[in-house]
Amino acid sequence: MTTQTNLRIDGRRLWDSLMDMARFGATAKGGVRRLTLTEIDRQGRDHFRAQCEAAGLTVRVDEIGNMFARRQGREPHRLPVLFGSHLDSQPSGGKFDGALGVIGGLEVMRSLNDLGIVTEAPLELVNWTDEEGSRFGHSLMGSGVWAGVYTLDKVFSLSDTEGTTVKAALEGIGYAGPEDAAAFPADAYFELHIEQGPILENNEKKIGIVTGAQAQVWYDAIAIGRDSHAGTTPPSARRDALLCAARIIDLVDRTMRARGEDGRGTVGQLQVLPNSRNVIPGEVRFSVEFRHPEEAEVDRIAAAFPGEAAAIAAACGVKLELVELFRIARQPFDPGCVDLVRQAAAKLGLSAREIVSGAGHDAVYVARHVPTAMIFTPCKDGLSHNEEESILPAEAEAGCQVLFEAVLARANRVL
Ligand SMILES: [Zn+2]
């Protein structure tokens, strides 16, 4: 049985506000280029801040530029319920990646105002700095510093291709705030985001109840063979580092496909030396990463892959240096918060399914300190990090309504 609520967010206002935000960095192809800590980002942030203040929220900014817009609760000493996402984009990004969670959060605040609702706990809407990592090469920067995963000193000194550091960029746009960039006690964190994959669309579901983020293992690999003449070196004398890398790339793909639709395995970077058409490559440097919703599968891969890759290298007469960079454990979300998302979707009569996030999100780091859950909405053809990224107004509204219900239930729960 489903019950309709009469406490509705304003889907039209949400959509208009999403389109307003998309003007900052709008591209000719209908996407967005709003790189973190640029002049365009400043304009978007200033606009967002003004909208928050117009809604009666108090905005504060921390040292890494994370923005927190607070709405007081009836009990100011209760821990705040946080929700939000990020306003920065990829160089050729879409209108909804990140923006949906921030602007959706703003719509929650505005709807509470319209409905005259004062929650028990205070609420804070968050815009995390530099989720995408495309300018300074470091994703989840703001939430990572906040969560203590990275030090402020480390990220301050990162620079873009023009040599501008994070610190200088923050100061340049006036968003090096006075607040400590450190986790503070909070009651919960909810993040609404587009799925960026095809699962909801393929299963004709409107809401993804995100139960956690998948486990990962990343490697740097160097295959060392021997440079030699392409015309004079017979097969028996070749130690071809690129052939070795190619066979390992195939191994990565086979390892992934052996795990069905849940498997992920990617070689995304390849550097061939000396990269000359008539020299057998003597050295190839490449990246390898695997991901899986089940941590045990990633552990199994991490146990087997280095040996299998080494055997391939040996058969090619090539030496393989394989370094495991890191293994990220599966990050489960908080069962109580996840359940609020599930209950909200059910109450609203929205089709929903559980889903494990394939991508990294600010929520994954926040979850280390604060009970967290995410809400996914479908996006057309599962396409994201693309100017053609698109969602329907009704999908944005449904996701925002679920966010509204989950936040309200959490903020008013009896302690
Ligand atoms: Zn995002």
Side-chain angles (χ1 to χ4, degrees):
M1 199 183 86
T2 61
T3 348
Q4 290 299 319
T5 173
N6 47 13
L7 304 178
R8 304 295 303 188
I9 62 110
D10 184 336
R12 179 63 200 258
R13 178 172 57 191
L14 168 64
W15 191 257
D16 289 347
S17 299
L18 282 165
M19 295 305 112
D20 272 355
M21 182 51 71
R23 287 187 292 116
F24 298 97
T27 62
K29 288 185 191 161
V32 165
R33 178 188 175 89
R34 196 163 54 236
L35 294 178
T36 191
L37 308 184
T38 56
E39 172 58 19
I40 296 286
D41 185 29
R42 182 192 67 75
Q43 291 171 15
R45 284 167 175 262
D46 286 356
H47 174 75
F48 170 64
R49 187 208 295 253
Q51 304 287 304
C52 287
E53 287 171 352
L57 310 178
T58 308
V59 180
R60 59 183 205 281
V61 180
D62 74 12
E63 296 162 287
I64 192 66
N66 295 322
M67 302 171 71
F68 301 87
R70 184 177 174 101
R71 187 177 194 268
Q72 287 303 351
R74 204 184 311 276
E75 294 187 39
H77 300 299
R78 263 175 81 149
L79 297 180
V81 173
L82 313 181
F83 47 99
S85 192
H86 60 96
L87 287 175
D88 69 312
S89 85
Q90 288 285 330
S92 52
K95 293 194 276 291
F96 306 100
D97 174 3
L100 178 63
V102 178
I103 303 303
L106 178 62
E107 176 54 37
V108 168
M109 297 290 203
R110 287 169 164 171
S111 296
L112 290 169
N113 288 350
D114 291 352
L115 295 162
I117 296 172
V118 179
T119 52
E120 297 298 319
L123 306 179
E124 293 197 2
L125 168 59
V126 193
N127 170 32
W128 300 107
T129 293
D130 193 3
E131 190 274 348
E132 298 288 1
S134 42
R135 181 174 176 195
F136 298 101
H138 197 301
S139 61
L140 305 175
M141 186 190 286
S143 55
V145 170
W146 188 84
V149 183
Y150 315 116
T151 65
L152 197 57
D153 283 350
K154 185 194 161 198
V155 300
F156 268 178
S157 61
L158 296 171
S159 54
D160 66 9
T161 52
E162 274 149 37
T164 306
T165 63
V166 168
K167 188 164 194 289
L170 267 169
E171 286 166 354
I173 65 162
Y175 275 87
E179 301 271 327
D180 276 357
F184 51 79
D187 182 56
Y189 175 68
F190 294 96
E191 182 165 346
L192 169 65
H193 205 284
I194 58 171
E195 180 200 339
Q196 305 182 284
I199 294 172
L200 294 176
E201 189 175 63
N202 289 347
N203 290 276
E204 296 181 3
K205 302 291 189 216
K206 288 298 173 203
I207 296 294
I209 304 157
V210 189
T211 55
Q214 61 190 346
Q216 310 182 24
V217 59
W218 290 31
Y219 299 93
D220 268 348
I222 308 177
I224 301 162
R226 186 179 59 190
D227 297 355
S228 56
H229 195 294
T232 61
T233 313
S236 60
R238 288 180 178 232
R239 293 166 54 199
D240 185 336
L242 183 55
L243 179 69
C244 169
R247 289 182 176 162
I248 291 173
I249 292 169
D250 181 57
L251 170 65
V252 170
D253 186 66
R254 281 185 281 117
T255 303
M256 170 184 78
R257 287 178 196 280
R259 287 163 175 83
E261 283 294 282
D262 280 340
R264 301 287 185 272
T266 303
V267 174
Q269 280 181 332
L270 190 78
Q271 194 185 4
V272 181
L273 299 169
N275 208 24
S276 167
R277 64 187 302 152
N278 58 1
V279 178
I280 296 161
E283 184 171 319
V284 174
R285 294 165 175 259
F286 57 105
S287 62
V288 177
E289 62 144 87
F290 295 101
R291 308 186 194 203
H292 198 281
E294 298 303 325
E295 200 160 324
E297 280 301 330
V298 167
D299 290 343
R300 269 193 278 278
I301 291 169
F305 173 72
E308 293 170 11
I312 287 172
C316 296
V318 168
K319 183 169 154 249
L320 181 68
E321 292 174 6
L322 189 70
V323 179
E324 184 179 312
L325 294 180
F326 54 80
R327 218 181 288 190
I328 302 177
R330 174 176 187 270
Q331 176 65 59
F333 288 153
D334 177 73
C337 291
V338 171
D339 205 45
L340 289 178
V341 173
R342 187 183 296 110
Q343 287 172 24
K347 174 182 171 187
L348 296 164
L350 294 165
S351 59
R353 62 164 278 160
E354 291 193 356
I355 188 167
V356 173
S357 175
H361 289 289
D362 295 309
V364 177
Y365 283 156
V366 177
R368 296 187 181 192
H369 296 273
V370 177
T372 290
M374 289 188 77
I375 303 153
F376 277 176
T377 61
C379 54
K380 189 167 185 298
D381 301 328
L383 196 63
S384 182
H385 288 183
N386 189 306
E387 290 166 277
E388 287 171 30
E389 176 187 281
S390 110
I391 66 173
L392 300 172
E395 292 168 338
E397 182 175 352
C400 185
Q401 188 70 42
V402 170
L403 177 67
F404 176 91
E405 302 286 341
V407 165
L408 193 59
R410 185 74 181 190
N412 282 344
R413 75 188 167 125
V414 179
L415 292 179

